[in-house]
Amino acid sequence: MGRYLTLLAVLAVGLGLAVPLSRSGPMTVARWPTDDTMYQVEDWAPGALQVQSFTDPEPGAILQRSYNRLGGGMAQLVVWTVPQPQAKTLFRKGPDRDFLGAGYTSEEALPEIIRPVNGGARVVRRGAEAWLLLYTFGERRGVLGDSASAWLLAESDALLDHPNDYFLARIGVPLNSPSSVEPTDATHLLDTLAARLAAWYAA
């Protein structure tokens, strides 16, 4: 971990020195897949894709899509995507940003919850309402999570002006309600979608 922190510090200093020399070309915009086949997963029926794109104060987009599991239950997909060098926005705000802004509390999920690939799990609560949030981070190199190495790669992209797209994908499922689904099913849904997103950006 010490080695990662040292490298991160070096990259951060280099990035700070490089900022005054940054390119003056057009602002990079966020990209995302719109093909419905990207979002189709066996045993799940996806709803309509909703997209909110923005450029101020930084370029990015928020994708939202609901899923109904065949046989009962629902899940909500949210994807935040930003171009290089905005990865820090994803890492800094985290997977529960919108719930915290709506008055929920957030805590780490129990260890027995199966996490997505290189991802995590949190439980948010507000009164009697509770949601399980499964999440992971990815980019053109794959699903990397929010480890120190992922931070280093993002900082390196910014320092070297290397084109990239980053995303934070999250599946939310209600707990203790008739529309609840098994956490393992939700994890499989997220793993499938996150892998497809990373492959789409890589291409």
Side-chain angles (χ1 to χ4, degrees):
M1 177 60 75
R3 180 164 57 91
Y4 283 139
L5 293 176
T6 300
L7 288 172
L8 182 59
V10 171
L11 285 169
V13 171
L15 179 59
L17 294 174
V19 166
L21 304 177
S22 62
R23 64 189 186 280
S24 58
M27 178 183 294
T28 306
V29 297
R31 305 183 306 127
W32 59 89
T34 58
D35 187 346
D36 270 346
T37 60
M38 277 284 302
Y39 302 93
Q40 292 173 1
V41 180
E42 186 178 4
D43 296 327
W44 292 91
L49 178 64
Q50 302 177 39
V51 179
Q52 176 189 357
S53 61
F54 47 87
T55 57
D56 185 30
E58 298 173 342
I62 302 173
L63 320 179
Q64 298 186 69
R65 197 157 205 168
S66 61
Y67 282 81
N68 289 315
R69 182 160 176 79
L70 304 183
M74 62 82 66
Q76 292 184 347
L77 168 70
V78 181
V79 178
W80 290 267
T81 181
V82 296
Q84 187 275 107
Q86 309 302 337
K88 62 183 182 297
T89 301
L90 298 183
F91 293 129
R92 182 177 69 248
K93 292 186 177 180
D96 48 6
R97 63 184 77 180
D98 47 345
F99 280 93
L100 293 175
Y104 288 76
T105 60
S106 178
E107 62 192 44
E108 185 72 17
L110 295 174
E112 55 263 31
I113 297 295
I114 302 299
R115 269 64 173 169
V117 174
N118 294 329
R122 301 194 67 80
V123 174
V124 293
R125 305 178 190 278
R126 187 178 64 183
E129 185 181 0
W131 288 76
L132 172 65
L133 306 182
L134 303 163
Y135 65 92
T136 193
F137 294 80
E139 36 123 313
R140 296 187 188 184
R141 286 170 289 236
V143 180
L144 303 180
D146 58 350
S147 64
S149 59
W151 277 77
L152 285 170
L153 289 170
E155 291 292 351
S156 175
D157 287 342
L159 179 61
L160 301 176
D161 197 17
H162 183 270
N164 207 338
D165 301 90
Y166 314 94
F167 66 86
L168 164 55
R170 186 191 76 196
I171 288 290
V173 294
L175 297 175
N176 307 319
S177 78
S179 55
S180 297
V181 299
E182 290 296 324
T184 51
D185 294 329
T187 298
H188 177 263
L189 176 62
L190 179 57
D191 281 340
T192 301
L193 294 170
R196 289 180 185 173
L197 284 167
W200 185 87
Y201 283 118

